[in-house]
Amino acid sequence: MRILKVPIAALTLLAMTVVPASAAPERTVVVVLFDGFAPAELDATKNTPNFDRLKREGAWSRHLVPAFPTISLINHTTFETGCWPEHHGIMSNYFFDPKRGFFNEHSSDVADADWHTGCETMWQASERQGAKAAVFNWVGRWSKTHGYLASFANPNVPWAQRESDDQILAEAIARLRDNGPDHPRLIALYFNIPDDVAHYHGVAGAETQEAVRRCDAIVGRLMAAIKSMPAGREGTLVVGTDHGMMDVGPIVNIGRLMAMYDIKAKEASDGASTIFYLDKGESVDRVHKALSGYPYAFDVYEKGHYPSFAHLGTGARAGDLLLVAKPPYWVVGSAQMPSWARWLGVTHVWPVTFTPFAGGLKATHGYDPRIVQMHGIFYAWGSGVAPHEIKRLDMIDIHPTVMSLLGLQPGRPVDGKALTLAPQAPGSSRVASGRSE
């Protein structure tokens, strides 16, 4: 037998230059949350080549089902934690806590993760397991007690002073291309379009369509950046929203109801729901009976008997009574009325329901999540994703899906389940239910 004699130096050089066949590229996941992005807004908009490509090359759904109420902050938190509101603690855009006080979407601490009563955000879970994260303009990226909760996060400032969409997009792309030892593997971005435009111009308005095209351009830049990532790395893009959107009509005048029936309570209203926090001594039965005379416009539920779609729990933040409007009605609380409306006695002498002659919304959300217009868009594209339609998924499923793509465990605890995004076996259906069991 002949023995091949190879110099030790040559063997060493060979070991240094040959990469084992089993070594997989490192995956980075880019998560984008567009606010208030209903499929109908995309349907109404022409020239969206990047969304077209996402649908053609990736997994997609028209039925991302939000948590109730189907409004922003409750669903930003559900998206990022994978938990129902009864577990993460954010009940709506407005609610009361007996110790912390009033949670208000316009307050300076609305993004403070200390409001959470449980559950980890995807960036907290990622960082805990050794994968760095970069987070831009999301609520919950910082806390007063612990500071910033991701290795990279843009400054927490009043919303009007935030960094522009172009600024955070440029910074996210720079992080995506960073090949240094501390580069993030999770990059999360939030954009407040098309919601901010659709409220005042309608689902199919020209201005809303332009906002959708801006979203499309953002997606295109991120797809191009993922395609040009450094050697040895690959990326996945996950695009979702917090809720859908629908055109609306008359309002439910919550202040008038409280004055008419002398309801002694605090109320937290937004979108299509109101949570009532009754004063000590006020009767739940009396108030429930008083509010039960408007079945054409809304339903009323007592705590402990909230509808099955409302995962709000029975804690103090969930209030004592829940009012849920029916489309096309939407709710406006006393504090949300403009000053001129109060001067005109809108909350004391005007009807319980009426169509505003000025200052109203053309479109909104917040309704029962079983209403299809409340459903939002979802796309996943890139590494680990095969082209197929997902019939339906819940907002709680996003977090565990992102963590699965990262090869990490979901946060503790979590209510959702990871979607099946990997290639399917030959000959199987191209339409999937989405959730892995």
Side-chain angles (χ1 to χ4, degrees), residues 34-45:
F34 290 119
D35 204 305
F37 205 147
E41 293 166 326
L42 190 56
D43 294 342
T45 306

Side-chain angles (χ1 to χ4, degrees), residues 249-306:
I251 71 167
V252 176
N253 186 353
I254 300 298
R256 179 68 175 121
L257 283 169
M258 296 187 71
M260 180 184 298
Y261 297 109
D262 191 27
I263 298 173
K264 297 176 176 61
K266 297 186 290 291
E267 53 90 3
S269 301
D270 198 35
S273 67
T274 298
I275 303 173
F276 292 95
Y277 301 82
L278 303 187
D279 292 352
K280 186 176 182 180
E282 179 59 280
S283 167
V284 171
D285 290 341
R286 185 189 79 82
V287 176
H288 190 177
K289 183 177 180 180
L291 295 177
S292 295
Y294 306 88
Y296 63 91
F298 56 81
D299 291 320
V300 182
Y301 305 88
E302 295 181 19
K303 183 163 67 177
H305 301 280
Y306 285 176

Side-chain angles (χ1 to χ4, degrees), residues 170-356:
E171 187 167 353
I173 290 173
R175 296 289 181 188
L176 190 59
R177 292 172 174 164
D178 177 9
N179 212 29
D182 295 324
H183 66 265
R185 290 190 56 222
L186 170 65
I187 300 174
L189 304 97
Y190 166 76
F191 300 94
N192 70 329
I193 51 176
D195 177 278
D196 201 42
V197 179
H199 273 305
Y200 301 100
H201 298 282
V203 169
E207 293 86 348
T208 304
Q209 293 180 45
E210 182 56 35
V212 170
R213 282 188 285 271
R214 286 170 55 198
C215 297
D216 187 77
I218 290 168
V219 167
R221 290 183 62 184
L222 289 170
M223 293 173 80
I226 287 173
K227 280 294 187 182
S228 62
M229 289 179 68
R233 294 175 57 195
E234 60 187 11
T236 308
L237 177 63
V238 174
V239 177
T241 188
D242 48 357
H243 51 74
M245 184 75 70
M246 68 186 300
D247 292 340
V248 293
I251 71 167
V252 176
N253 186 353
I254 300 298
R256 179 68 175 121
L257 283 169
M258 296 187 71
M260 180 184 298
Y261 297 109
D262 191 27
I263 298 173
K264 297 176 176 61
K266 297 186 290 291
E267 53 90 3
S269 301
D270 198 35
S273 67
T274 298
I275 303 173
F276 292 95
Y277 301 82
L278 303 187
D279 292 352
K280 186 176 182 180
E282 179 59 280
S283 167
V284 171
D285 290 341
R286 185 189 79 82
V287 176
H288 190 177
K289 183 177 180 180
L291 295 177
S292 295
Y294 306 88
Y296 63 91
F298 56 81
D299 291 320
V300 182
Y301 305 88
E302 295 181 19
K303 183 163 67 177
H305 301 280
Y306 285 176
S308 59
F309 58 75
H311 298 271
L312 300 177
T314 57
R317 292 184 178 187
D320 300 295
L321 288 161
L322 175 67
L323 181 154
V324 183
K326 301 176 180 180
Y329 294 92
W330 51 289
V331 305
V332 179
S334 297
Q336 296 165 312
M337 286 286 183
S339 57
W340 59 263
R342 291 194 291 272
W343 295 335
L344 291 175
V346 169
T347 59
H348 287 80
V349 297
W350 282 39
V352 169
T353 61
F354 66 91
T355 301

Side-chain angles (χ1 to χ4, degrees), residues 18-95:
V18 175
V19 178
S22 59
E26 180 191 75
R27 180 181 294 162
T28 297
V29 180
V30 180
V31 180
V32 177
L33 173 60
F34 290 119
D35 204 305
F37 205 147
E41 293 166 326
L42 190 56
D43 294 342
T45 306
K46 306 298 182 185
N47 190 26
T48 55
N50 299 301
F51 282 114
D52 294 343
R53 184 181 174 192
L54 286 180
K55 184 175 180 179
R56 187 171 62 250
E57 299 179 4
W60 61 278
S61 182
R62 296 173 61 91
H63 299 286
L64 172 55
V65 183
F68 176 83
T70 52
I71 54 180
S72 293
L73 296 177
I74 187 173
N75 277 291
H76 295 186
T77 313
T78 302
F79 189 120
E80 68 193 33
T81 64
C83 291
W84 291 119
E86 61 187 315
H87 297 141
H88 63 59
I90 304 302
M91 299 286 107
S92 183
N93 285 349
Y94 304 86
F95 62 85

